[in-house]
């Protein structure tokens, strides 16, 4: 789910029609890869689709490297986290995999999710049930949206699920009913329950909207 921060950061600065030359570092990534080939060029929009729908780690690394280097891409992610006042977050990798010193929180994931709502291209991808990544190896890859709530939960706008040893199962979800948009974030969940718990939390949120006093608010960006 830290890949939502990657998208928040890089979608506004990378032209969707531009192409990125896949490096050997990106092409060697396994698992959770879409099969980039070193030396081949890929369209930025296709890489974002692979990352957001299928958590493709090679696509995330290629996108960060498109800023000039992976280190620069990660530095931009941390600058965006500071801008969003996501002060629990330190990014070390653009793909969100565990790394020494990397951390985040469910609260910060909500800040990243709110920012995503302001990026129409990101939310359009999140709403896609399936897509094709045409330039993979050895043949085109079908990208299936990993958010099983899509098309099944009324008002669902999209979602991003992830897993690492440190965070266990994580989930970001968006839903809209009657003009009200809610965000749900989960960390340290399980694959079996994360999405069903997210649906229950959203149900509760819509049911009590306007009838309970919030325990706090999401801070505004700096």
């Amino acid at each position: 789910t830290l890949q939502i921060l990657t998208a928040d950061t890089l979608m506004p600065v990378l032209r969707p029609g531009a192409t990125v030359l896949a490096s050997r570092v990106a092409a060697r990534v396994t698992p959770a890869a879409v099969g980039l080939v070193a030396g081949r060029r890929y369209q930025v929009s296709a890489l974002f689709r692979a990352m957001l729908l299928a958590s493709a780690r090679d696509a995330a690394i290629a996108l960060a490297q498109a800023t000039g280097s992976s280190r620069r891409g990660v530095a931009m992610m941390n600058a965006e986290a500071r801008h969003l006042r996501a002060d629990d977050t330190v990014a070390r990798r653009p793909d969100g995999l565990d790394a020494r010193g990397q951390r985040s929180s469910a609260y910060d994931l909500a800040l990243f999710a709110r920012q995503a709502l302001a990026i129409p291209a990101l939310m359009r991808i999140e709403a896609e049930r399936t897509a094709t990544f045409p330039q993979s190896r050895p043949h085109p890859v079908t990208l299936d949206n990993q958010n099983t709530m899509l098309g099944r939960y009324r008002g669902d706008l999209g979602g991003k699920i992830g897993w690492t040893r440190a965070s266990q199962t994580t989930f970001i979800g968006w839903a809209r009913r009657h003009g009200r948009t809610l965000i749900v974030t989960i960390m340290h969940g399980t694959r079996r329950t994360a999405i069903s718990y997210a649906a229950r939390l959203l149900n509760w949120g819509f049911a009590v909207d306007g009838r309970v006093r919030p325990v706090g608010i999401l801070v505004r960006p700096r």
Side-chain angles (χ1 to χ4, degrees):
T1 41
L2 204 58
Q3 290 176 1
I4 295 297
L5 174 61
T6 307
D8 285 345
T9 304
L10 300 182
M11 270 191 156
V13 299
L14 297 178
R15 292 185 296 110
T19 59
V20 176
L21 188 69
S23 69
R24 290 183 179 179
V25 172
R28 284 200 300 260
V29 168
T30 58
V34 78
L36 299 189
V37 178
R40 183 177 293 181
R41 302 197 73 88
Y42 297 88
Q43 195 168 54
V44 165
S45 59
L47 293 171
F48 276 121
R49 186 167 280 105
M51 181 182 75
L52 291 170
L53 291 184
S55 294
R57 294 174 51 215
D58 50 356
I61 292 170
L63 288 165
Q65 291 176 337
T67 66
S69 70
S70 185
R71 179 175 294 183
R72 184 167 189 268
V74 171
M76 291 170 65
M77 290 171 61
N78 284 307
E80 179 67 6
R82 299 289 77 74
H83 167 67
L84 296 176
R85 297 173 69 182
D87 297 329
D88 294 332
T89 297
V90 175
R92 295 291 188 223
R93 300 177 58 107
D95 58 5
L97 200 69
D98 291 334
R100 184 183 296 275
Q102 183 164 274
R103 65 177 188 267
S104 192
S105 66
Y107 181 90
D108 283 8
L109 293 184
L111 295 176
F112 304 149
R114 182 181 63 187
Q115 182 66 12
L117 288 168
I119 305 175
L122 194 163
M123 297 308 299
R124 281 196 295 270
I125 293 174
E126 286 296 327
E128 294 178 3
R129 297 193 189 187
T130 186
T132 299
F133 191 81
Q135 294 176 289
S136 190
R137 62 181 184 198
H139 47 70
V141 171
T142 298
L143 306 172
D144 292 317
N145 196 320
Q146 298 172 332
N147 171 31
T148 56
M149 287 175 63
L150 194 63
R152 299 172 59 189
Y153 184 84
R154 182 165 61 90
D156 187 74
L157 300 176
K160 182 81 174 66
I161 195 166
W163 185 90
T164 74
R165 285 188 175 88
S167 65
Q168 300 301 303
T169 298
T170 60
F171 183 72
I172 290 173
W174 302 265
R176 182 176 297 145
R177 292 182 185 174
H178 308 299
R180 173 71 75 182
T181 301
L182 296 185
I183 293 166
V184 60
T185 65
I186 291 176
M187 296 186 81
H188 293 286
T190 69
R191 287 189 182 275
R192 185 176 62 84
T193 61
I195 289 181
S196 63
Y197 283 3
R200 290 168 62 184
L201 284 165
L202 287 169
N203 286 340
W204 178 85
F206 285 120
V208 302
D209 180 37
R211 297 194 293 111
V212 296
R213 189 172 73 176
V215 297
I217 62 171
L218 293 181
V219 294
R220 305 306 304 179
R222 289 188 173 94

